[in-house]
Amino acid sequence: MTVRVRFAPSPTGYLHVGGLRSAIFNYLFARHYGGKFILRIEDTDRKRFVADSLADILSSFRWMALDWDEGPEVGGSYGPYLQSQRLPIYQEYTQKLIDSGHAYHCYCTPERMETLRQEQMRLKQNPGYDRHCRNLSAAERQTAIAQGVIPVVRLKAPLEGVTVFHDALRGEIITENQTLDDLVLMKSDGYPTYHLANVIDDHLMQITHVLRADEWIPSTPRHVLLYQAFGWEMPVFAHLSLILDPNGKGKMSKRKTVDASSGQEHFVQVREFRQAGYLPEAMLNYLTLLGWSYNDKTEIMSREEFIASFDLKGIKASPAAFSYDKLNWMNGIYIRELPAAELARHLIPFLEQAGIKPTDDITTWPTLLAIIPLVRERLKTLAEAPALVDFFFQEIGLPDPESLQGKLTPAETRLILEQTRSILATLPEFTATATEEALRDMAGQLGKKPGVIFTPVRVAVTGKTVAPPLFGSLEILGRQRVDERLARAIAQFEMPC
Ligand code: GLU
């Protein structure tokens, strides 16, 4: 048997990180067993359709390098892979269910359904269809047709007994049939409901395993009834646990929030993580271990290692809370592991977006390669880079006297800056080692701690109180620019004569 799994998103919004995790699990499962990973777009709910959501899903998949074997853009022998292009298939199979007595036309108008709902609420009954059209007489049907009502098609669900299915992670799940109503299979607009299209496609696309979020568990008994009505074999079901909010209390939010205590943004859409400068391999590592475990200890695993070991046994049945701190930590590890040229390639779009361009005077991108060893350790995300390195590429604003001074007096600050300027101007070699040695000597002579001396110099040349290592920065900036910036800072302390 060839494993065939699918990720079947509904294009109703931008891809959520929870959806991405389900997709990763399917992808790893397929790769582990040498099977096929299929991307199917479930776009039959026209009311909830969002036009650029498909493009978002595809570009998120490409970014994550989740290469799908069949689906939009790549094709495959079980297509089309957009459900909106498969309507005749659903109509054909709906007819089969009607012919075999498993489904029926329902002519109830939206007005009748609304009245029914009101009545059920008044009587404190469970809402649901009352099966009014299940046993219409031929005459009643004729009347409805004559009135021009366009019917929906409903499943004739069993009225008694139980529906059972086995979940590979959760064991047997049993549902009383009297809790299942006659669900709509085909809507009056000619589009199938999710349930019908999902089951028909899983069957026709020969899906062997359905790995999907556990929010679909209540739908699965309905799907089982459909498999039974068609007389089809069922795939293996494995419902994946929820991802919880960082506090572990509720389901992960659908929208970005901002953590009140840390001010940290809690992203939820894949595109938000991408824009914030997370690396796809870090996302893959983090999300896979959020719900699957190799040995409960290993935290850093490569795509190849996941593929080699991913199976259903490692999937955790209990929900896991999303930790932004842990993801940041992991992303930092992946950033540090990248070769400098590769990291530079990742950083350039972020720098450009922040308005830093290679033509911005001063230096060009090769400088970035020299800067990387200075900043790599400090980056948790790529988006943090521009604020750290902008002073290498752009002129800095006039540093304000207070930050220049730190704990020093204006007179001391001015003296230190002037001495630094003259010492650096005459150094035989303008290297990190030489400037460091010179400034440490100067501190000794002034009887000050080196750190105290470095503050005004740092602020003068970088414009920041917190910046990459000072002497490496001086070397990259070069003697002339350092001299100009020191001169501008000194001018802040000119005494009126
Ligand atoms: N279209 C459903 C969704 O948006 C698919 C659920 C399933 O995998 O069956 O999640």
Side-chain angles (χ1 to χ4, degrees), residues 200-229:
I200 291 177
D201 286 349
D202 281 349
H203 173 74
L204 294 181
M205 295 181 183
Q206 298 192 13
I207 300 302
T208 56
H209 297 75
V210 169
L211 275 57
R212 64 179 169 205
D214 63 4
E215 63 185 309
W216 297 104
I217 290 179
S219 297
T220 309
R222 298 158 182 269
H223 298 179
V224 172
L225 292 178
L226 277 168
Y227 280 105
Q228 289 168 349

PDB file of all heavy atoms in Angstrom, residues 200-229:
ATOM      1  N   ILE A 200     -16.013  12.178  -0.634  1.00  0.00           N
ATOM      2  CA  ILE A 200     -15.883  11.709  -2.029  1.00  0.00           C
ATOM      3  C   ILE A 200     -14.427  11.858  -2.483  1.00  0.00           C
ATOM      4  O   ILE A 200     -13.837  10.950  -3.069  1.00  0.00           O
ATOM      5  CB  ILE A 200     -16.830  12.505  -2.962  1.00  0.00           C
ATOM      6  CG1 ILE A 200     -18.283  12.144  -2.649  1.00  0.00           C
ATOM      7  CG2 ILE A 200     -16.501  12.242  -4.421  1.00  0.00           C
ATOM      8  CD1 ILE A 200     -19.301  12.919  -3.469  1.00  0.00           C
ATOM      9  N   ASP A 201     -13.837  12.989  -2.172  1.00  0.00           N
ATOM     10  CA  ASP A 201     -12.466  13.211  -2.644  1.00  0.00           C
ATOM     11  C   ASP A 201     -11.449  12.332  -1.920  1.00  0.00           C
ATOM     12  O   ASP A 201     -10.518  11.825  -2.545  1.00  0.00           O
ATOM     13  CB  ASP A 201     -12.091  14.687  -2.490  1.00  0.00           C
ATOM     14  CG  ASP A 201     -12.795  15.539  -3.539  1.00  0.00           C
ATOM     15  OD1 ASP A 201     -13.374  14.951  -4.474  1.00  0.00           O
ATOM     16  OD2 ASP A 201     -12.755  16.774  -3.425  1.00  0.00           O
ATOM     17  N   ASP A 202     -11.627  12.144  -0.636  1.00  0.00           N
ATOM     18  CA  ASP A 202     -10.691  11.246   0.050  1.00  0.00           C
ATOM     19  C   ASP A 202     -10.767   9.857  -0.564  1.00  0.00           C
ATOM     20  O   ASP A 202      -9.756   9.173  -0.722  1.00  0.00           O
ATOM     21  CB  ASP A 202     -10.984  11.189   1.569  1.00  0.00           C
ATOM     22  CG  ASP A 202     -10.420  12.402   2.305  1.00  0.00           C
ATOM     23  OD1 ASP A 202      -9.642  13.165   1.686  1.00  0.00           O
ATOM     24  OD2 ASP A 202     -10.759  12.605   3.490  1.00  0.00           O
ATOM     25  N   HIS A 203     -11.972   9.457  -0.948  1.00  0.00           N
ATOM     26  CA  HIS A 203     -12.100   8.141  -1.562  1.00  0.00           C
ATOM     27  C   HIS A 203     -11.495   8.124  -2.971  1.00  0.00           C
ATOM     28  O   HIS A 203     -10.642   7.284  -3.280  1.00  0.00           O
ATOM     29  CB  HIS A 203     -13.584   7.742  -1.629  1.00  0.00           C
ATOM     30  CG  HIS A 203     -13.793   6.473  -2.413  1.00  0.00           C
ATOM     31  ND1 HIS A 203     -13.455   5.234  -1.918  1.00  0.00           N
ATOM     32  CD2 HIS A 203     -14.252   6.270  -3.672  1.00  0.00           C
ATOM     33  CE1 HIS A 203     -13.710   4.308  -2.832  1.00  0.00           C
ATOM     34  NE2 HIS A 203     -14.197   4.912  -3.904  1.00  0.00           N
ATOM     35  N   LEU A 204     -11.913   9.090  -3.804  1.00  0.00           N
ATOM     36  CA  LEU A 204     -11.451   9.061  -5.200  1.00  0.00           C
ATOM     37  C   LEU A 204      -9.948   9.322  -5.304  1.00  0.00           C
ATOM     38  O   LEU A 204      -9.280   8.847  -6.207  1.00  0.00           O
ATOM     39  CB  LEU A 204     -12.211  10.099  -6.040  1.00  0.00           C
ATOM     40  CG  LEU A 204     -13.719   9.848  -6.226  1.00  0.00           C
ATOM     41  CD1 LEU A 204     -14.322  10.936  -7.104  1.00  0.00           C
ATOM     42  CD2 LEU A 204     -13.975   8.473  -6.829  1.00  0.00           C
ATOM     43  N   MET A 205      -9.427  10.105  -4.372  1.00  0.00           N
ATOM     44  CA  MET A 205      -7.979  10.390  -4.402  1.00  0.00           C
ATOM     45  C   MET A 205      -7.183   9.323  -3.652  1.00  0.00           C
ATOM     46  O   MET A 205      -5.989   9.467  -3.431  1.00  0.00           O
ATOM     47  CB  MET A 205      -7.714  11.793  -3.837  1.00  0.00           C
ATOM     48  CG  MET A 205      -8.325  12.885  -4.697  1.00  0.00           C
ATOM     49  SD  MET A 205      -8.009  14.539  -4.056  1.00  0.00           S
ATOM     50  CE  MET A 205      -8.928  15.524  -5.257  1.00  0.00           C
ATOM     51  N   GLN A 206      -7.890   8.275  -3.234  1.00  0.00           N
ATOM     52  CA  GLN A 206      -7.265   7.107  -2.578  1.00  0.00           C
ATOM     53  C   GLN A 206      -6.411   7.489  -1.370  1.00  0.00           C
ATOM     54  O   GLN A 206      -5.280   7.028  -1.212  1.00  0.00           O
ATOM     55  CB  GLN A 206      -6.445   6.328  -3.606  1.00  0.00           C
ATOM     56  CG  GLN A 206      -7.346   5.798  -4.703  1.00  0.00           C
ATOM     57  CD  GLN A 206      -6.665   4.773  -5.594  1.00  0.00           C
ATOM     58  OE1 GLN A 206      -5.601   4.269  -5.289  1.00  0.00           O
ATOM     59  NE2 GLN A 206      -7.311   4.463  -6.691  1.00  0.00           N
ATOM     60  N   ILE A 207      -6.995   8.376  -0.554  1.00  0.00           N
ATOM     61  CA  ILE A 207      -6.311   8.799   0.668  1.00  0.00           C
ATOM     62  C   ILE A 207      -6.315   7.633   1.666  1.00  0.00           C
ATOM     63  O   ILE A 207      -7.367   7.045   1.927  1.00  0.00           O
ATOM     64  CB  ILE A 207      -7.020  10.036   1.265  1.00  0.00           C
ATOM     65  CG1 ILE A 207      -7.005  11.207   0.268  1.00  0.00           C
ATOM     66  CG2 ILE A 207      -6.419  10.425   2.617  1.00  0.00           C
ATOM     67  CD1 ILE A 207      -5.632  11.652  -0.187  1.00  0.00           C
ATOM     68  N   THR A 208      -5.132   7.333   2.198  1.00  0.00           N
ATOM     69  CA  THR A 208      -5.046   6.200   3.128  1.00  0.00           C
ATOM     70  C   THR A 208      -5.150   6.643   4.586  1.00  0.00           C
ATOM     71  O   THR A 208      -5.618   5.888   5.430  1.00  0.00           O
ATOM     72  CB  THR A 208      -3.699   5.458   2.948  1.00  0.00           C
ATOM     73  OG1 THR A 208      -2.637   6.408   3.128  1.00  0.00           O
ATOM     74  CG2 THR A 208      -3.608   4.843   1.559  1.00  0.00           C
ATOM     75  N   HIS A 209      -4.678   7.845   4.885  1.00  0.00           N
ATOM     76  CA  HIS A 209      -4.676   8.331   6.271  1.00  0.00           C
ATOM     77  C   HIS A 209      -5.163   9.775   6.291  1.00  0.00           C
ATOM     78  O   HIS A 209      -4.666  10.590   5.517  1.00  0.00           O
ATOM     79  CB  HIS A 209      -3.272   8.300   6.873  1.00  0.00           C
ATOM     80  CG  HIS A 209      -2.693   6.923   6.964  1.00  0.00           C
ATOM     81  ND1 HIS A 209      -2.220   6.246   5.863  1.00  0.00           N
ATOM     82  CD2 HIS A 209      -2.521   6.094   8.028  1.00  0.00           C
ATOM     83  CE1 HIS A 209      -1.778   5.054   6.247  1.00  0.00           C
ATOM     84  NE2 HIS A 209      -1.953   4.936   7.557  1.00  0.00           N
ATOM     85  N   VAL A 210      -6.076  10.053   7.206  1.00  0.00           N
ATOM     86  CA  VAL A 210      -6.541  11.433   7.381  1.00  0.00           C
ATOM     87  C   VAL A 210      -5.971  11.945   8.700  1.00  0.00           C
ATOM     88  O   VAL A 210      -6.375  11.511   9.781  1.00  0.00           O
ATOM     89  CB  VAL A 210      -8.086  11.488   7.379  1.00  0.00           C
ATOM     90  CG1 VAL A 210      -8.571  12.862   7.818  1.00  0.00           C
ATOM     91  CG2 VAL A 210      -8.625  11.156   5.991  1.00  0.00           C
ATOM     92  N   LEU A 211      -5.000  12.833   8.586  1.00  0.00           N
ATOM     93  CA  LEU A 211      -4.414  13.465   9.786  1.00  0.00           C
ATOM     94  C   LEU A 211      -4.927  14.893   9.789  1.00  0.00           C
ATOM     95  O   LEU A 211      -4.538  15.700   8.942  1.00  0.00           O
ATOM     96  CB  LEU A 211      -2.878  13.504   9.679  1.00  0.00           C
ATOM     97  CG  LEU A 211      -2.067  12.277  10.115  1.00  0.00           C
ATOM     98  CD1 LEU A 211      -2.482  11.030   9.364  1.00  0.00           C
ATOM     99  CD2 LEU A 211      -0.577  12.537   9.892  1.00  0.00           C
ATOM    100  N   ARG A 212      -5.831  15.185  10.697  1.00  0.00           N
ATOM    101  CA  ARG A 212      -6.399  16.532  10.709  1.00  0.00           C
ATOM    102  C   ARG A 212      -6.687  16.954  12.149  1.00  0.00           C
ATOM    103  O   ARG A 212      -6.651  16.140  13.073  1.00  0.00           O
ATOM    104  CB  ARG A 212      -7.682  16.585   9.872  1.00  0.00           C
ATOM    105  CG  ARG A 212      -8.787  15.731  10.415  1.00  0.00           C
ATOM    106  CD  ARG A 212     -10.045  15.850   9.559  1.00  0.00           C
ATOM    107  NE  ARG A 212     -11.025  14.838   9.925  1.00  0.00           N
ATOM    108  CZ  ARG A 212     -11.969  14.385   9.113  1.00  0.00           C
ATOM    109  NH1 ARG A 212     -12.077  14.860   7.891  1.00  0.00           N
ATOM    110  NH2 ARG A 212     -12.810  13.470   9.520  1.00  0.00           N
ATOM    111  N   ALA A 213      -7.010  18.240  12.300  1.00  0.00           N
ATOM    112  CA  ALA A 213      -7.199  18.801  13.635  1.00  0.00           C
ATOM    113  C   ALA A 213      -8.385  18.132  14.339  1.00  0.00           C
ATOM    114  O   ALA A 213      -9.345  17.697  13.692  1.00  0.00           O
ATOM    115  CB  ALA A 213      -7.444  20.298  13.522  1.00  0.00           C
ATOM    116  N   ASP A 214      -8.320  18.095  15.652  1.00  0.00           N
ATOM    117  CA  ASP A 214      -9.380  17.387  16.385  1.00  0.00           C
ATOM    118  C   ASP A 214     -10.708  18.142  16.394  1.00  0.00           C
ATOM    119  O   ASP A 214     -11.718  17.602  16.827  1.00  0.00           O
ATOM    120  CB  ASP A 214      -8.938  17.003  17.795  1.00  0.00           C
ATOM    121  CG  ASP A 214      -8.637  18.194  18.671  1.00  0.00           C
ATOM    122  OD1 ASP A 214      -8.837  19.335  18.209  1.00  0.00           O
ATOM    123  OD2 ASP A 214      -8.199  17.979  19.820  1.00  0.00           O
ATOM    124  N   GLU A 215     -10.709  19.376  15.893  1.00  0.00           N
ATOM    125  CA  GLU A 215     -12.003  20.056  15.797  1.00  0.00           C
ATOM    126  C   GLU A 215     -12.931  19.334  14.801  1.00  0.00           C
ATOM    127  O   GLU A 215     -14.131  19.587  14.768  1.00  0.00           O
ATOM    128  CB  GLU A 215     -11.808  21.515  15.374  1.00  0.00           C
ATOM    129  CG  GLU A 215     -11.207  21.646  14.008  1.00  0.00           C
ATOM    130  CD  GLU A 215     -10.891  23.088  13.611  1.00  0.00           C
ATOM    131  OE1 GLU A 215     -11.768  23.929  13.719  1.00  0.00           O
ATOM    132  OE2 GLU A 215      -9.747  23.330  13.183  1.00  0.00           O
ATOM    133  N   TRP A 216     -12.362  18.427  13.996  1.00  0.00           N
ATOM    134  CA  TRP A 216     -13.186  17.712  13.016  1.00  0.00           C
ATOM    135  C   TRP A 216     -13.761  16.410  13.575  1.00  0.00           C
ATOM    136  O   TRP A 216     -14.498  15.712  12.882  1.00  0.00           O
ATOM    137  CB  TRP A 216     -12.377  17.433  11.739  1.00  0.00           C
ATOM    138  CG  TRP A 216     -11.978  18.719  11.092  1.00  0.00           C
ATOM    139  CD1 TRP A 216     -10.732  19.296  11.126  1.00  0.00           C
ATOM    140  CD2 TRP A 216     -12.828  19.644  10.393  1.00  0.00           C
ATOM    141  NE1 TRP A 216     -10.761  20.509  10.479  1.00  0.00           N
ATOM    142  CE2 TRP A 216     -12.023  20.745  10.021  1.00  0.00           C
ATOM    143  CE3 TRP A 216     -14.180  19.641  10.043  1.00  0.00           C
ATOM    144  CZ2 TRP A 216     -12.533  21.840   9.322  1.00  0.00           C
ATOM    145  CZ3 TRP A 216     -14.684  20.718   9.345  1.00  0.00           C
ATOM    146  CH2 TRP A 216     -13.864  21.799   9.001  1.00  0.00           C
ATOM    147  N   ILE A 217     -13.424  16.076  14.818  1.00  0.00           N
ATOM    148  CA  ILE A 217     -13.937  14.812  15.386  1.00  0.00           C
ATOM    149  C   ILE A 217     -15.470  14.736  15.304  1.00  0.00           C
ATOM    150  O   ILE A 217     -16.012  13.716  14.899  1.00  0.00           O
ATOM    151  CB  ILE A 217     -13.435  14.603  16.842  1.00  0.00           C
ATOM    152  CG1 ILE A 217     -11.932  14.297  16.804  1.00  0.00           C
ATOM    153  CG2 ILE A 217     -14.197  13.480  17.532  1.00  0.00           C
ATOM    154  CD1 ILE A 217     -11.302  14.101  18.170  1.00  0.00           C
ATOM    155  N   PRO A 218     -16.204  15.811  15.645  1.00  0.00           N
ATOM    156  CA  PRO A 218     -17.665  15.703  15.559  1.00  0.00           C
ATOM    157  C   PRO A 218     -18.155  15.450  14.129  1.00  0.00           C
ATOM    158  O   PRO A 218     -19.260  14.924  13.933  1.00  0.00           O
ATOM    159  CB  PRO A 218     -18.159  17.077  16.042  1.00  0.00           C
ATOM    160  CG  PRO A 218     -17.009  17.659  16.811  1.00  0.00           C
ATOM    161  CD  PRO A 218     -15.765  17.095  16.206  1.00  0.00           C
ATOM    162  N   SER A 219     -17.367  15.805  13.131  1.00  0.00           N
ATOM    163  CA  SER A 219     -17.784  15.569  11.745  1.00  0.00           C
ATOM    164  C   SER A 219     -17.544  14.127  11.313  1.00  0.00           C
ATOM    165  O   SER A 219     -18.189  13.633  10.393  1.00  0.00           O
ATOM    166  CB  SER A 219     -16.999  16.470  10.782  1.00  0.00           C
ATOM    167  OG  SER A 219     -17.274  17.816  11.044  1.00  0.00           O
ATOM    168  N   THR A 220     -16.587  13.483  11.958  1.00  0.00           N
ATOM    169  CA  THR A 220     -16.169  12.170  11.457  1.00  0.00           C
ATOM    170  C   THR A 220     -17.292  11.125  11.469  1.00  0.00           C
ATOM    171  O   THR A 220     -17.431  10.384  10.487  1.00  0.00           O
ATOM    172  CB  THR A 220     -14.910  11.696  12.207  1.00  0.00           C
ATOM    173  OG1 THR A 220     -13.956  12.763  12.140  1.00  0.00           O
ATOM    174  CG2 THR A 220     -14.305  10.461  11.572  1.00  0.00           C
ATOM    175  N   PRO A 221     -18.153  11.053  12.511  1.00  0.00           N
ATOM    176  CA  PRO A 221     -19.247  10.068  12.432  1.00  0.00           C
ATOM    177  C   PRO A 221     -20.127  10.295  11.197  1.00  0.00           C
ATOM    178  O   PRO A 221     -20.597   9.337  10.571  1.00  0.00           O
ATOM    179  CB  PRO A 221     -20.054  10.311  13.708  1.00  0.00           C
ATOM    180  CG  PRO A 221     -19.190  11.112  14.591  1.00  0.00           C
ATOM    181  CD  PRO A 221     -18.141  11.770  13.774  1.00  0.00           C
ATOM    182  N   ARG A 222     -20.313  11.548  10.840  1.00  0.00           N
ATOM    183  CA  ARG A 222     -21.108  11.844   9.632  1.00  0.00           C
ATOM    184  C   ARG A 222     -20.387  11.308   8.400  1.00  0.00           C
ATOM    185  O   ARG A 222     -21.018  10.807   7.466  1.00  0.00           O
ATOM    186  CB  ARG A 222     -21.300  13.343   9.494  1.00  0.00           C
ATOM    187  CG  ARG A 222     -22.058  13.950  10.661  1.00  0.00           C
ATOM    188  CD  ARG A 222     -21.773  15.428  10.761  1.00  0.00           C
ATOM    189  NE  ARG A 222     -22.464  16.002  11.909  1.00  0.00           N
ATOM    190  CZ  ARG A 222     -23.690  16.531  11.864  1.00  0.00           C
ATOM    191  NH1 ARG A 222     -24.343  16.565  10.733  1.00  0.00           N
ATOM    192  NH2 ARG A 222     -24.233  17.015  12.942  1.00  0.00           N
ATOM    193  N   HIS A 223     -19.070  11.461   8.422  1.00  0.00           N
ATOM    194  CA  HIS A 223     -18.289  10.956   7.289  1.00  0.00           C
ATOM    195  C   HIS A 223     -18.370   9.429   7.231  1.00  0.00           C
ATOM    196  O   HIS A 223     -18.488   8.842   6.160  1.00  0.00           O
ATOM    197  CB  HIS A 223     -16.838  11.407   7.399  1.00  0.00           C
ATOM    198  CG  HIS A 223     -16.690  12.901   7.359  1.00  0.00           C
ATOM    199  ND1 HIS A 223     -15.503  13.553   7.467  1.00  0.00           N
ATOM    200  CD2 HIS A 223     -17.629  13.885   7.227  1.00  0.00           C
ATOM    201  CE1 HIS A 223     -15.690  14.865   7.403  1.00  0.00           C
ATOM    202  NE2 HIS A 223     -16.984  15.081   7.277  1.00  0.00           N
ATOM    203  N   VAL A 224     -18.331   8.827   8.421  1.00  0.00           N
ATOM    204  CA  VAL A 224     -18.426   7.369   8.472  1.00  0.00           C
ATOM    205  C   VAL A 224     -19.748   6.912   7.855  1.00  0.00           C
ATOM    206  O   VAL A 224     -19.791   5.960   7.067  1.00  0.00           O
ATOM    207  CB  VAL A 224     -18.297   6.883   9.936  1.00  0.00           C
ATOM    208  CG1 VAL A 224     -18.578   5.396  10.051  1.00  0.00           C
ATOM    209  CG2 VAL A 224     -16.914   7.218  10.489  1.00  0.00           C
ATOM    210  N   LEU A 225     -20.828   7.632   8.185  1.00  0.00           N
ATOM    211  CA  LEU A 225     -22.136   7.275   7.600  1.00  0.00           C
ATOM    212  C   LEU A 225     -22.088   7.369   6.082  1.00  0.00           C
ATOM    213  O   LEU A 225     -22.671   6.547   5.376  1.00  0.00           O
ATOM    214  CB  LEU A 225     -23.234   8.198   8.137  1.00  0.00           C
ATOM    215  CG  LEU A 225     -23.592   8.050   9.613  1.00  0.00           C
ATOM    216  CD1 LEU A 225     -24.677   9.068  10.007  1.00  0.00           C
ATOM    217  CD2 LEU A 225     -24.054   6.628   9.927  1.00  0.00           C
ATOM    218  N   LEU A 226     -21.388   8.359   5.596  1.00  0.00           N
ATOM    219  CA  LEU A 226     -21.266   8.508   4.141  1.00  0.00           C
ATOM    220  C   LEU A 226     -20.453   7.355   3.534  1.00  0.00           C
ATOM    221  O   LEU A 226     -20.823   6.800   2.502  1.00  0.00           O
ATOM    222  CB  LEU A 226     -20.633   9.856   3.794  1.00  0.00           C
ATOM    223  CG  LEU A 226     -21.595  11.041   3.777  1.00  0.00           C
ATOM    224  CD1 LEU A 226     -20.843  12.369   3.721  1.00  0.00           C
ATOM    225  CD2 LEU A 226     -22.534  10.924   2.570  1.00  0.00           C
ATOM    226  N   TYR A 227     -19.340   7.024   4.163  1.00  0.00           N
ATOM    227  CA  TYR A 227     -18.556   5.878   3.664  1.00  0.00           C
ATOM    228  C   TYR A 227     -19.443   4.636   3.614  1.00  0.00           C
ATOM    229  O   TYR A 227     -19.410   3.873   2.643  1.00  0.00           O
ATOM    230  CB  TYR A 227     -17.337   5.614   4.551  1.00  0.00           C
ATOM    231  CG  TYR A 227     -16.176   6.553   4.275  1.00  0.00           C
ATOM    232  CD1 TYR A 227     -15.875   7.591   5.144  1.00  0.00           C
ATOM    233  CD2 TYR A 227     -15.382   6.399   3.137  1.00  0.00           C
ATOM    234  CE1 TYR A 227     -14.826   8.459   4.897  1.00  0.00           C
ATOM    235  CE2 TYR A 227     -14.326   7.269   2.882  1.00  0.00           C
ATOM    236  CZ  TYR A 227     -14.059   8.303   3.760  1.00  0.00           C
ATOM    237  OH  TYR A 227     -13.026   9.158   3.496  1.00  0.00           O
ATOM    238  N   GLN A 228     -20.227   4.449   4.672  1.00  0.00           N
ATOM    239  CA  GLN A 228     -21.098   3.261   4.716  1.00  0.00           C
ATOM    240  C   GLN A 228     -22.154   3.327   3.620  1.00  0.00           C
ATOM    241  O   GLN A 228     -22.432   2.333   2.947  1.00  0.00           O
ATOM    242  CB  GLN A 228     -21.757   3.145   6.092  1.00  0.00           C
ATOM    243  CG  GLN A 228     -20.750   2.735   7.162  1.00  0.00           C
ATOM    244  CD  GLN A 228     -21.292   2.882   8.587  1.00  0.00           C
ATOM    245  OE1 GLN A 228     -22.355   3.479   8.803  1.00  0.00           O
ATOM    246  NE2 GLN A 228     -20.551   2.357   9.548  1.00  0.00           N
ATOM    247  N   ALA A 229     -22.734   4.519   3.431  1.00  0.00           N
ATOM    248  CA  ALA A 229     -23.779   4.649   2.412  1.00  0.00           C
ATOM    249  C   ALA A 229     -23.214   4.343   1.018  1.00  0.00           C
ATOM    250  O   ALA A 229     -23.868   3.719   0.190  1.00  0.00           O
ATOM    251  CB  ALA A 229     -24.367   6.059   2.452  1.00  0.00           C
TER     252      ALA A 229
END
